[in-house]
């Protein structure tokens, strides 16, 4: 299930929902990855790698190397 913001929602035995999420923050070329559990953190690492690759190619293209 997903909540109104598109984040994954799980229910515990009490019937109250828990929202799980994660993100990537870039400080310069260094990505900082966080997540509420290992599965989400793994996907954020994959997203960080893809974004880093895209930014490297964009930089190379802007410099006329590619």
């Amino acid at each position: 299930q997903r909540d109104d913001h598109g984040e994954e929602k799980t229910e515990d035995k009490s019937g109250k929902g828990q929202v799980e999420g994660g993100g990537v923050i870039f400080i310069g070329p260094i990505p900082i990855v966080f997540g509420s559990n290992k599965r989400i953190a793994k996907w954020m690492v994959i997203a960080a790698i893809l974004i880093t690759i895209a930014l490297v190619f964009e930089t190379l293209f802007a410099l006329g190397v590619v």
Side-chain angles (χ1 to χ4, degrees):
Q1 283 184 343
R2 301 228 175 240
D3 67 1
D4 294 337
H5 302 290
E7 295 179 339
E8 189 170 321
K9 184 177 176 182
T10 59
E11 290 206 16
D12 58 13
K13 292 179 182 178
S14 68
K16 295 182 181 178
Q18 288 182 320
V19 176
E20 298 176 343
V24 178
I25 298 174
F26 280 87
I27 298 181
I30 301 169
I32 298 173
V33 176
F34 58 92
S36 60
N37 62 38
K38 287 184 181 183
R39 181 178 54 86
I40 292 175
K42 177 185 78 172
W43 283 107
M44 292 299 103
V45 167
I46 292 169
I49 291 169
L50 293 174
I51 291 169
T52 302
I53 291 169
L55 290 174
V56 167
F57 278 114
E58 182 180 345
T59 302
L60 292 174
F61 182 74
L63 294 174
V65 176
V66 176

